[in-house]
């Protein structure tokens, strides 16, 4: 399947259009710790350090999953490339989570 046709891309596009998609390590972490994020997604090319720190910070608070897409593939969703995304709506988070398996 071509990456631009990956079903997760469509789900993340819906999140963005609904204003429920956060991006960037600091912004996502801050909102996750406040309980305002339903799902944290890390790109396939996120550094090991970023993955480790985000999973430690979010552990027990919110699910933190690595996705099969890179920050370059998701660049169209954000004004600048990001390796960390947060979904703030529970239903949209469930929609995205379905495309992770």
């Amino acid at each position: 399947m071509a990456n631009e046709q990956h079903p997760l891309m469509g789900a993340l596009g819906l999140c963005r259009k609904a204003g429920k998609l956060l991006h960037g390590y600091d912004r996502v972490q801050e909102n996750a710790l406040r309980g305002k994020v339903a799902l944290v997604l890390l790109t396939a090319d996120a550094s090991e350090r970023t993955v480790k720190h985000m999973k430690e910070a979010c552990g027990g608070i919110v699910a933190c999953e690595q996705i099969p897409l890179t920050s370059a593939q998701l660049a169209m969703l954000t004004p600048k490339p990001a390796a960390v995304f947060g979904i703030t709506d529970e239903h949209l988070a469930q929609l995205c989570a379905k495309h992770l398996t």
Side-chain angles (χ1 to χ4, degrees), residues 25 40-58 64-67 83-84:
Y25 183 92
V40 173
L41 300 174
L42 305 162
T43 61
D45 61 344
S47 73
E48 289 180 31
R49 184 174 186 251
T50 296
V51 172
K52 180 183 177 209
H53 285 244
M54 188 56 75
K55 286 188 175 188
E56 286 174 358
C58 296
C64 189
E65 302 289 335
Q66 200 145 19
I67 60 175
V84 180

Side-chain angles (χ1 to χ4, degrees), residues 10-59:
L12 290 171
L14 283 173
C15 295
R16 182 185 58 85
K17 288 178 185 175
K20 305 296 181 183
L21 182 67
L22 302 176
H23 64 280
Y25 183 92
D26 293 332
R27 187 171 182 209
V28 172
Q29 182 181 22
E30 179 182 319
N31 282 281
L33 294 175
R34 290 182 178 174
K36 295 183 179 185
V37 173
L39 178 64
V40 173
L41 300 174
L42 305 162
T43 61
D45 61 344
S47 73
E48 289 180 31
R49 184 174 186 251
T50 296
V51 172
K52 180 183 177 209
H53 285 244
M54 188 56 75
K55 286 188 175 188
E56 286 174 358
C58 296

